[in-house]
Structure formats: structure tokens, C-alpha cells
Amino acid sequence: AEALASKVPVLVLTGFLGSGKTTLLNHILTATHGKKIAIIENEFGDVGIDDALIQKTSKFSSEEEIIEVLNGCLCCSVRQDLVVLLKGFAERAAAGELKLDAIIIETTGMADPAPVAQTFLIYDEIKAFARLDGIVTMVDAKHVERHLDAVKPEGVVNEAVAQAAFADRLLLNKTDLVTE
């Protein structure tokens, strides 16, 4: 149990396009919570983390495309392999250069979270550094039925169904837009 507690918890944040993932991440980046959280944003999302927000709140930017914002969070885009990025975090943590309270990985709206989750089961260097804490799927209450009921061609997975099935937590968003 102690070994598990010493590993950085990782949350995979998924949800269909427009479900509110980026809004949630922008809130985490601006909140005063005292935690150092690395936010890894998949570059294929429909709307990236607000560039103006990053400029307004950033302490520095490095050539690694990792930005530290004023509340201590790290923000980076996955333009390189996720495994390489996480191994880099592990090396920096082992060297005493980086202390993280958590990592949040945002998947693109069309992404299956399974390959991201498998990263924490396959690679020994990553398993020694971090643990998969959970998969949270943001659900847009107004459009959830349309996404779940979408008819796909034979052999094509309904991404919304896969995201909900893989989640151990569903976060219902935009409930103010529905009456039933």
C-alpha cells in the first residue's frame, strides 16, 4: 500500500467533443488548489486549452512545450509519444527536479481511452513512477442520447459507448440545458 501511495496518481479524462473537458482543465489551471498537476492535452482536441489563459498565467515556457502556470500546474501537448513524455517526467522526478501531486491526461473527443490506460500497465519505468487512478468520462447531458445511439458502420466502434464503458466515473455536465 505504501508503494502505491508513493506513485503519482493519473486520471484519464475523456468524453465526446463538446462535453466540457477543456473547460474543466481550464478551471484546474486557474484554481488556487495548491497542487502541482501535470495536464497532458492531446493536440487533436477540437479546442485547445486557452492560449490567452496560458500566456496570462504562465511562469515560463520551455522548448519541450511544457508550460508551468502560476498555480503550479504543468501543461503540455502530446506532440510526441505519451510514453516518452511520461518517462521524462519519471526521470525528472527521480532526479529530484519534479514533484507532481497528480497527472491528468485529456484524450481527444474521438479517442478510445484503452491505449492510454494500457501505458500504465506495460512500461516498467512508468509503472514505477505513476499509477492509473481512474478514467473519468465527461458526459454532455444535452447530447448524450444522440452520441450513445449513433449508428456506426459495421466494424466501427461507437466512441461514446466505449468511453462510457471504460470509465470508472461519469461526470454529467450541462445538466442545466435539459429538463428531463
Side-chain angles (χ1 to χ4, degrees):
E2 188 175 316
L4 187 63
S6 68
K7 295 180 181 183
V8 177
V10 177
L11 178 80
V12 176
L13 179 62
T14 189
F16 220 71
L17 296 171
S19 64
K21 299 179 304 293
T22 299
T23 301
L24 175 61
L25 293 178
N26 281 331
H27 175 74
I28 291 168
L29 287 170
T30 57
T32 306
H33 45 64
K35 300 288 185 188
K36 190 158 190 150
I37 302 170
I39 295 177
I40 301 172
E41 180 191 31
N42 188 317
E43 71 170 355
F44 301 112
D46 58 333
V47 177
I49 291 175
D50 188 348
D51 288 335
L53 171 72
I54 294 293
Q55 288 179 344
K56 183 173 74 175
T57 62
S58 66
K59 285 184 180 175
F60 67 88
S61 176
S62 73
E63 293 188 11
E64 296 174 351
E65 297 183 30
I66 296 175
I67 300 165
E68 183 174 357
V69 294
L70 292 176
N71 69 357
C73 291
L74 298 175
C75 180
C76 55
S77 293
V78 180
R79 290 198 170 91
Q80 55 186 321
D81 186 49
L82 177 63
V83 173
V84 172
L85 183 63
L86 291 169
K87 285 181 179 179
F89 282 172
E91 289 169 10
R92 289 177 57 198
E97 300 168 5
L98 179 66
K99 168 72 174 99
L100 292 174
D101 294 305
I103 298 171
I104 300 174
I105 301 172
E106 177 198 10
T107 67
T108 182
M110 302 295 282
D112 177 353
V116 175
Q118 289 172 347
T119 303
F120 299 91
L121 304 172
I122 296 172
Y123 299 94
D124 291 335
E125 303 96 320
I126 295 171
K127 286 194 299 190
F129 163 68
R131 63 178 169 81
L132 183 61
D133 190 47
I135 298 174
V136 172
T137 298
M138 295 281 294
V139 177
D140 176 345
K142 184 173 181 177
H143 299 106
V144 64
E145 287 184 76
R146 178 176 52 135
H147 291 307
L148 293 175
D149 294 340
V151 177
K152 301 289 182 175
E154 188 174 329
V156 176
V157 174
N158 180 324
E159 296 88 359
V161 172
Q163 289 171 349
F166 269 100
D168 54 331
R169 289 172 235 149
L170 297 174
L171 184 56
L172 197 56
N173 194 19
K174 302 182 183 181
T175 56
D176 57 319
L177 301 178
V178 295
T179 56
E180 36 175 276

